[in-house]
Amino acid sequence: MAVGVVGGVVVALGLVTIPLPGPGWLTVIAGLFVLASEFFWAERLLDFTRRHVRAWTEWLGRQPSWVRMVVGAGTAAFVYGVLVVTLHMTGVPDWVPGWVPLWR
């Protein structure tokens, strides 16, 4: 039971942090590792995730450099956009220096 609770909390934390910059998906996968030690369905979901991440990585590795750069730039733009929206909604923390051009 404790494995299920701990794994569930880690997965939930990861799901909440996916749109934020940081290791959201990595946290979800870590939670699946915990759950897979106890539950067969979590092991199957983890295998599914491994297969698809591997397939995506191999596909991207076969693409020309410009495709990889476009995917990287798109990912960076998405993360930057989420960060800006998050800071706009929650406010800029006091520890951010005044010269940083955000909403003050």
Side-chain angles (χ1 to χ4, degrees), residues 61-101:
R62 291 190 304 266
Q63 302 310 306
S65 296
W66 70 269
V67 172
R68 292 189 303 246
M69 286 190 287
V70 167
V71 169
T75 301
F78 176 76
V79 169
Y80 177 76
V82 168
L83 177 63
V84 168
V85 168
T86 301
L87 288 174
H88 182 66
M89 290 173 51
T90 62
V92 179
D94 292 334
W95 54 264
V96 174
W99 55 265
V100 176

Side-chain angles (χ1 to χ4, degrees), residues 2-95:
V3 171
V5 171
V6 170
V9 167
V10 172
V11 168
L13 179 67
L15 289 174
V16 169
T17 60
I18 284 174
L20 302 174
W25 283 112
L26 185 62
T27 307
V28 171
I29 292 171
L32 283 177
F33 270 110
V34 172
L35 290 171
S37 69
E38 183 92 12
F39 301 104
F40 180 68
W41 62 266
E43 186 177 344
R44 289 182 53 209
L45 184 58
L46 189 59
D47 288 340
F48 173 85
T49 304
R50 283 182 188 153
R51 284 193 313 272
H52 282 79
V53 167
R54 185 176 300 120
W56 166 255
T57 304
E58 289 172 358
W59 176 84
L60 193 59
R62 291 190 304 266
Q63 302 310 306
S65 296
W66 70 269
V67 172
R68 292 189 303 246
M69 286 190 287
V70 167
V71 169
T75 301
F78 176 76
V79 169
Y80 177 76
V82 168
L83 177 63
V84 168
V85 168
T86 301
L87 288 174
H88 182 66
M89 290 173 51
T90 62
V92 179
D94 292 334
W95 54 264

